[in-house]
Amino acid sequence: EAQVTQNPRYLITVTGKKLTVTCSQNMNHEYMSWYRQDPGLGLRQIYYSMNVEVTDKGDVPEGYKVSRKEKRNFPLILESPSPNQTSLYFCASRTGGDYGYTFGSGTRLTVV
Amino acid sequence: GQQVMQIPQYQHVQEGEDFTTYCNSSTTLSNIQWYKQRPGGHPVFLIQLVKSGEVKKQKRLTFQFGEAKKNSSLHITATQTTDVGTYFCAPRKVYNQGGKLIFGQGTELSVKP
């Protein structure tokens, strides 16, 4: 089944403890992206990648890192999480051209 | 930056009533995408509009792209409880602007049976 898989689905962590949210897609998509969703603020793009080793900042990249060493994986790294990064995170991927994104099921992160 | 306004923010309807959400841009767009997110779910791509004045239908959903390519609408005829969710537009200023995709604030639709 074609899908975008994120792990974990839920995570509670403490301030300053490094964490990684994994994202993997099995559709051979070139483009991948991370979004965060907060009440009243909608979906905001954190980082995106156009292919292996090619990444760029979205609208809210501060406090996040990404890497794209393989086409299928696009992990989101929080080196030193803070409470304002408590949010619902979505990974998404799409093929080349100008098509819609396929989203993962989301990761609900709480930083205390 | 790209300015997009989606209205209304919330819409409550009785089952069977129609519903429309609008997405308005301050600049001319290359194309626009629409997504639906069910409560507790993830956004799901619905459609992409590219041509000026384009109208596309998916069963009870009608999507329209304005003649000036600055606005778009999603109309649902005779809403059902399965239509509940938040509808987002995602306007694109240039063709294939890489991975960047900005979303409107969304319109949350609730349907009373």
Side-chain angles (χ1 to χ4, degrees), chain B residues 91-104:
Chain B
R92 297 170 74 89
K93 192 172 181 181
V94 297
Y95 174 76
N96 196 15
Q97 54 187 57
K100 192 169 182 65
L101 187 65
I102 296 171
F103 284 79

Side-chain angles (χ1 to χ4, degrees), chain B residues 46-77:
Chain B
L46 295 176
I47 208 159
Q48 177 169 277
L49 305 172
V50 179
K51 299 177 184 175
S52 168
E54 187 170 17
V55 178
K56 287 188 177 181
K57 293 191 175 185
Q58 290 179 351
K59 297 183 180 178
R60 294 177 295 103
L61 277 60
T62 301
F63 303 84
Q64 194 160 0
F65 203 9
E67 293 288 343
K69 298 184 76 174
K70 285 188 174 182
N71 53 68
S72 180
S73 64
L74 158 59
H75 179 82
I76 302 178
T77 304

Side-chain angles (χ1 to χ4, degrees), chain A residues 31 35 37 40-43 45 48 50 59 90 94 97-101 103-105, chain B residues 31 33 35 37 41-43 45 48 88 92 95-103 105:
Chain A
Y31 297 90
Y35 288 86
Q37 186 172 35
L41 297 176
L43 288 154
Q45 196 170 32
Y48 58 93
M50 289 145 296
D59 292 322
F90 288 104
R94 70 172 181 85
D98 210 15
Y99 301 100
Y101 270 113
F103 280 78
S105 298
Chain B
N31 58 65
Q33 298 177 355
Y35 292 75
Q37 184 178 21
H42 56 276
F45 173 69
Q48 177 169 277
F88 294 97
R92 297 170 74 89
Y95 174 76
N96 196 15
Q97 54 187 57
K100 192 169 182 65
L101 187 65
I102 296 171
F103 284 79
Q105 292 300 305

Side-chain angles (χ1 to χ4, degrees), chain B residues 6-47:
Chain B
Q6 194 172 347
I7 54 172
Q9 190 173 359
Y10 303 97
Q11 184 81 58
H12 309 285
V13 300
Q14 192 78 32
E15 188 172 23
E17 292 181 339
D18 292 356
F19 159 78
T20 305
T21 174
Y22 301 89
C23 188
N24 300 312
S25 172
S26 57
T27 58
T28 302
L29 303 171
S30 170
N31 58 65
I32 191 164
Q33 298 177 355
W34 285 92
Y35 292 75
K36 175 184 178 182
Q37 184 178 21
R38 294 181 188 275
H42 56 276
V44 174
F45 173 69
L46 295 176
I47 208 159

Side-chain angles (χ1 to χ4, degrees), chain A residues 41 47-48 50 53 58-59 63 66 72 74-75 79 81 88 97 106 110:
Chain A
L41 297 176
Y47 269 96
Y48 58 93
M50 289 145 296
E53 301 292 2
D59 292 322
V66 292
R72 64 182 294 125
F74 191 44
E79 294 270 4
L88 177 58
T110 302

